[in-house]
Amino acid sequence: MQVGAHSEGLRAAVIGSPISHSKSPLLHGAAYQALGLDIEYTRQEAVETDAAALNTMLRNEPGWLGLSCTMPMKQALIPFLDNTSERVRILGAMNTVVVYRTDGEPVKLSGENTDVDGLIKSIAAMGATVLKNVAIFGAGNTASAAIMAVAESGAEHIDFVVRNLERAAASIALAQSFGLTANAILNDAAACSIPEYDAAISTLPPGSADSFVDKLGLENLRPGTPLMDVTYDPWPSRLASAWTEHGGVAASGLTMLLYQAVEQVKLFTGVTEADWDHVINMMCDAVGLTRPQN
């Protein structure tokens, strides 16, 4: 077990800027308590110029298990890592640094991206059994993890619903690299395709969808169609409210944060065998999420 390397003073943190709003300490704290582990998990403000100091800290200060990374540290720490997962190499972004210690060996730092897991499991938790045709609102950096998530979930086609068709070129190329077909369509044109989607993911910042929600033709939405909206403050978003009013199912970014945190907990601690349903329930309670139906 990763936690077996140290008997006391175990710690991890979420880093980025701004970071004061992060719910990660609540989620991780509840998980470690449910697992019976004494691990301190805190917030730490960090920007790109702090990357070298963080690298030194993780390698030289005892007790560190890992870091949860938000922007801008998802890219800034990558050059300091000893290895990265295939996901990180493909996406060029990670959200997890895992510290590995072996007696007599130098400390190793490994990068992983559990945002993909968070998206996959969030959509599955909403009851999506078939995921062939997906809409992704937005085509920026946040969309990359969504593209990989739907590819790993068996999707065949993605429509990127955007304001500017040209800005979707990189996202289309990434989708095609996974063997998916992909198009970019303007916000105002999405109404024609709404009935065809098995699920949708909004990667837009809070409020960015407000101006075109009424033009999406949600009255034609198939009942039960899942929407994963990566925002969670304020919640519900206008998009999520309209989606559910027309018979869809919506989950906030807090649900994604929950499931990606579960994977981080496993990586930080090395614990794989546990009553994870109980752990997840405790994590949900800590942030006010409805417990999943197990």
Side-chain angles (χ1 to χ4, degrees):
M1 283 172 46
Q2 178 78 352
V3 296
H6 304 280
S7 59
E8 60 183 2
L10 299 175
R11 50 188 169 161
V14 57
I15 62 167
S17 184
I19 203 66
S20 60
H21 67 286
S22 176
K23 303 288 187 182
S24 292
L26 294 172
L27 290 167
H28 279 258
Y32 301 136
Q33 184 176 1
L35 291 167
L37 300 174
D38 185 10
I39 298 172
E40 180 186 20
Y41 186 99
T42 58
R43 298 181 185 90
Q44 186 165 328
E45 190 81 14
V47 295
E48 291 98 328
T49 53
D50 296 319
L54 288 167
N55 172 61
T56 300
M57 176 190 77
L58 293 175
R59 294 182 188 276
N60 294 287
E61 293 184 9
W64 280 106
L65 299 176
L67 298 175
S68 307
C69 301
T70 65
M71 295 303 292
M73 308 312 294
K74 289 189 173 187
Q75 285 89 26
L77 274 171
I78 290 178
F80 296 92
L81 303 178
D82 296 293
N83 57 74
T84 57
S85 70
E86 183 179 7
R87 281 179 178 174
V88 174
R89 290 191 290 273
I90 291 172
L91 298 179
M94 58 89 190
N95 73 327
T96 309
V97 176
V98 187
V99 181
Y100 290 100
R101 287 183 172 85
T102 303
D103 289 342
E105 298 290 337
V107 170
K108 298 292 185 183
L109 304 182
S110 181
E112 182 54 89
N113 191 313
T114 68
D115 285 336
V116 178
D117 299 290
L119 285 162
I120 291 172
K121 294 179 180 180
S122 296
I123 295 170
M126 286 187 280
T129 55
V130 176
L131 203 64
K132 300 298 183 184
N133 195 18
V134 177
I136 295 180
F137 294 95
N141 291 336
T142 308
S144 297
I147 296 166
M148 181 173 281
V150 298
E152 291 187 14
S153 298
E156 297 176 354
H157 178 81
I158 297 174
D159 277 343
F160 294 98
V161 183
V162 295
R163 294 179 182 177
N164 185 319
L165 298 179
E166 294 180 358
R167 292 183 180 177
S171 292
I172 290 173
L174 180 61
Q176 291 173 340
S177 74
F178 291 121
L180 283 69
T181 58
N183 290 320
I185 58 176
L186 294 173
N187 300 331
D188 295 351
C192 297
S193 302
I194 282 293
E196 302 172 7
Y197 298 130
D198 300 308
I201 301 172
S202 175
T203 66
L204 298 171
S208 295
D210 293 359
S211 62
F212 62 84
V213 167
D214 294 337
K215 302 175 183 179
L216 287 177
L218 295 182
E219 63 275 8
N220 298 317
L221 188 70
R222 278 188 283 158
T225 302
L227 167 70
M228 175 70 242
D229 189 337
V230 300
T231 65
Y232 60 83
D233 187 18
W235 186 260
S237 63
R238 189 170 177 219
L239 175 61
S241 293
W243 199 272
T244 55
E245 286 169 7
H246 289 91
V249 180
S252 76
L254 197 52
T255 305
M256 173 186 167
L257 190 66
L258 162 72
Y259 286 110
Q260 65 86 19
V262 171
E263 298 307 309
Q264 288 183 336
V265 167
K266 293 176 181 178
L267 288 167
F268 291 164
T269 66
V271 174
T272 56
E273 298 297 324
D275 184 352
W276 289 108
D277 289 340
H278 170 67
V279 174
I280 289 170
N281 285 341
M282 295 302 98
M283 294 170 77
C284 287
D285 292 349
V287 294
L289 277 175
T290 300
R291 291 182 174 189
Q293 299 295 318
N294 298 324

